[in-house]
Amino acid sequence: AQKVTQAQTEISVVEKEDVTLDCVYETRDTTYYLFWYKQPPSGELVFLIRRNSFDEQNEISGRYSWNFQKSTSSFNFTITASQVVDSAVYFCALSEALTGGGNKLTFGTGTQLKVEL
Amino acid sequence: KAGVTQTPRYLIKTRGQQVTLSCSPISGHRSVSWYQQTPGQGLQFLFEYFSETQRNKGNFPGRFSGRQFSNSRSEMNVSTLELGDSALYLCASSFTSGNRGEQFFGPGTRLTVL
């Protein structure tokens, strides 16, 4: 069975600090996709990134960067120079290759990030 | 492009009633998935519809059902509501049905069962 673990329940940082959110996954699939979503207080899940299992290149998008390490089954997310607007719950998710196709995301329990002034 | 819309945004029902939630996907998207989010269980997959057919179903009782229309809009129905059905119900749309599809989520419907 697929599993995603986000061991950090809550992280508090001061604005401008860098912060890394950890994600560890388990899957038997050889082809899979990993995602990060942001959930602000409004509730909507905002898509941040998708990475397939064959692409281990790190990715940077502005203040956001992602480190995918297949050897340790981890897909960590770093926010550089954090801002108050980054305060939200962040979810890591794994897509599952289902018999007959289909979309299904397995989510971690989320990490609540609080950025304070 | 307009995003995923869900109606209503908030709903209060009593035990034993039934409820219907609606989701309109992004234009051109044919896959609609539903997720339930609760503090205790987190985000859990309910089911996915693609081209009016249910492709996959999560581990939920038969009281939870859904359907998809020819314009890709989807509805989710919960019958005989229980207190534990109180949750945020999120709908996600995707262009394709396959595990590489990026899923874009709506704002959710917050259901409270009294």
Side-chain angles (χ1 to χ4, degrees):
Chain A
Q2 315 264 324
K3 187 178 179 182
V4 176
T5 301
Q6 293 181 257
Q8 303 151 310
T9 305
E10 186 173 316
I11 300 176
S12 288
V13 298
V14 176
E15 203 176 38
K16 296 184 184 175
E17 283 187 5
D18 298 346
V19 59
T20 295
L21 310 181
D22 298 332
C23 172
V24 174
Y25 62 92
E26 295 175 29
T27 180
R28 291 183 181 176
D29 293 345
T30 54
T31 302
Y32 52 89
Y33 287 78
L34 293 160
F35 300 79
W36 275 95
Y37 284 89
K38 173 183 179 180
Q39 187 176 44
S42 60
E44 182 172 346
L45 283 170
V46 178
F47 169 83
L48 295 177
I49 190 172
R50 178 192 65 184
R51 175 52 50 89
N52 76 55
S53 53
F54 296 107
D55 183 3
E56 288 195 68
Q57 263 193 320
N58 290 335
E59 182 155 342
I60 297 174
S61 176
R63 297 184 296 108
Y64 296 169
S65 63
W66 291 269
N67 183 283
F68 176 33
Q69 303 239 346
K70 211 167 173 178
S71 59
T72 56
S73 297
S74 65
F75 187 42
N76 297 336
F77 173 31
T78 297
I79 302 175
T80 302
S82 59
Q83 299 176 0
V84 172
V85 293
D86 295 327
S87 297
V89 180
Y90 290 86
F91 290 93
C92 180
L94 172 67
S95 71
E96 184 174 347
L98 301 170
T99 304
N103 280 320
K104 178 186 175 184
L105 292 175
T106 299
F107 286 88
T109 50
T111 297
Q112 169 83 60
L113 174 64
K114 293 183 179 178
V115 182
E116 298 164 336
L117 292 170
Chain B
K1 239 182 197 182
V4 178
T5 57
Q6 291 187 246
T7 57
R9 292 294 310 279
Y10 301 90
L11 209 47
I12 299 175
K13 292 284 187 179
T14 55
R15 276 182 298 175
Q17 287 187 309
Q18 76 163 24
V19 66
T20 299
L21 312 181
S22 181
C23 171
S24 292
I26 292 171
S27 178
H29 285 193
R30 293 164 59 197
S31 166
V32 174
S33 299
W34 288 89
Y35 292 83
Q36 181 197 63
Q37 185 177 24
T38 60
Q41 300 298 317
L43 278 154
Q44 293 187 289
F45 172 77
L46 278 157
F47 30 62
E48 181 206 2
Y49 286 87
F50 181 76
S51 293
E52 302 178 64
T53 302
Q54 185 181 88
R55 293 211 75 176
N56 299 289
K57 191 173 181 352
N59 190 25
F60 280 83
R63 300 185 297 108
F64 291 81
S65 63
R67 58 177 175 168
Q68 186 179 36
F69 302 95
S70 58
N71 61 358
S72 294
R73 188 177 71 86
S74 177
E75 286 183 348
M76 187 194 116
N77 186 274
V78 188
S79 63
T80 319
L81 284 166
E82 300 177 359
L83 294 178
D85 297 333
S86 294
L88 179 66
Y89 289 88
L90 291 161
C91 161
S93 82
S94 179
F95 180 71
T96 62
S97 178
N99 72 345
R100 58 180 146 180
E102 297 171 19
Q103 293 191 46
F104 297 91
F105 285 80
T109 293
R110 187 165 294 281
L111 171 65
T112 302
V113 182
L114 302 175

